[in-house]
Amino acid sequence: MPHEPKPGPPGDSPGPGAHAERDPSARFRRSDTSRLEAISDGVFAVALTLLVLELNDPPHHDGGLPRALLHQWPAYVGYVASFSYVGVIWLNHHQAFARIRSVDRALSGWNLALVGITSALAFPTSVVSETLSESVTGRDARTAVALYAFVAALMCTAWLVLYRFLLGRPALMEPHVEPGYLRHGVTRSAVGVVAYVLAGLLGVFVTPLFALGVFVVLPVFYFLTTEGMPKRGATG
């Protein structure tokens, strides 16, 4: 579905040959969010598609398909965890850019970093699925969940940087954004960094099953807080 361009701040979109002739770099300063949202949605769609490719018909002998399907349960857990994670990332991205009025070069760069990490999530998902199918508690399984936790924590770090960047660029935001939205975004991102790091440590030093539990549950937290952290004592 095509994105409707948002009106930029006055003077941000000069007509051909007018303001651009006076300052050739002006066209790089601000633009609406439509192109950035379009490429981001495309990356999210590809990332979600790559995840489902990890669900394969497992090798089995005649009559052994039920057992083989059960044996690859880590692939199902990895798919649920990663699909829900990428899905919530897309939802949060949509909510964030509904509040962003225009983008500059720096914001475009941070957004590319964000979607780049998102597209890489299929790699640790595949490693976790393959490794845990062989052994749930072995050394390789611990390494696999640590890898997934690292990439997921990196994703939260990208969000943390993005929200903090926007806090310092109020001119890029819509005029009536909720006062606490960006601060809540920073808090939610920091919670994710800490949670995924702890999950990786638990997976390495205790059991990978603890890490898997965090990988499945944490996207639920992000879904429930898409509009921001709940306010204590809020009446409406």
Side-chain angles (χ1 to χ4, degrees):
M1 178 181 295
H3 297 274
E4 295 183 2
K6 300 177 186 176
D12 280 351
S13 302
H19 180 66
E21 288 183 357
R22 295 195 300 272
D23 185 359
S25 66
R27 65 185 182 276
F28 295 115
R29 291 182 178 175
R30 299 277 182 84
S31 63
D32 64 71
T33 65
S34 57
R35 293 192 67 193
L36 187 145
E37 291 181 78
I39 191 174
S40 301
D41 285 348
V43 172
F44 293 144
V46 171
L48 291 171
T49 302
L50 289 175
L51 293 174
V52 77
L53 297 180
E54 297 302 319
L55 300 179
N56 301 311
D57 178 16
H60 61 280
H61 56 76
D62 186 27
L65 180 58
R67 182 187 179 109
L69 288 172
L70 290 174
H71 182 69
Q72 68 172 13
W73 64 266
Y76 312 140
V77 175
Y79 174 76
V80 170
S82 294
F83 189 94
S84 58
Y85 192 26
V86 176
V88 170
I89 290 169
W90 170 82
L91 182 61
N92 281 271
H93 190 273
H94 172 73
Q95 292 295 330
F97 276 86
R99 295 166 169 83
I100 296 174
R101 180 178 176 83
S102 59
V103 299
D104 58 11
R105 189 184 310 200
L107 179 56
S108 297
W110 288 123
N111 185 75
L112 284 175
L114 177 65
V115 297
I117 299 170
T118 302
S119 63
L121 194 62
F123 169 60
T125 302
S126 175
V127 173
V128 167
S129 300
E130 292 289 335
T131 306
L132 268 68
S133 293
E134 299 171 1
S135 172
V136 176
T137 58
R139 181 178 299 177
D140 288 343
R142 296 170 189 270
T143 301
V145 296
L147 174 64
Y148 188 102
F150 171 76
V151 175
L154 199 61
M155 170 65 66
C156 293
T157 302
W159 275 108
L160 178 62
V161 172
L162 184 67
Y163 283 125
R164 288 188 63 85
F165 172 82
L166 291 172
L167 275 171
R169 297 291 196 283
L172 298 179
M173 305 298 292
E174 294 285 1
H176 302 298
V177 175
E178 309 91 313
Y181 175 77
L182 293 175
R183 293 194 303 273
H184 290 169
V186 170
T187 301
R188 294 165 65 239
S189 302
V191 168
V193 173
V194 173
Y196 279 117
V197 169
L198 288 177
L201 292 174
L202 287 173
V204 170
F205 295 108
V206 183
T207 173
L209 295 177
F210 282 165
L212 286 179
V214 175
F215 298 160
V216 172
V217 170
L218 205 53
V220 178
F221 162 75
Y222 282 116
F223 176 79
L224 295 176
T225 59
T226 297
E227 295 289 344
M229 299 286 285
K231 299 178 182 179
R232 294 182 179 178
T235 57

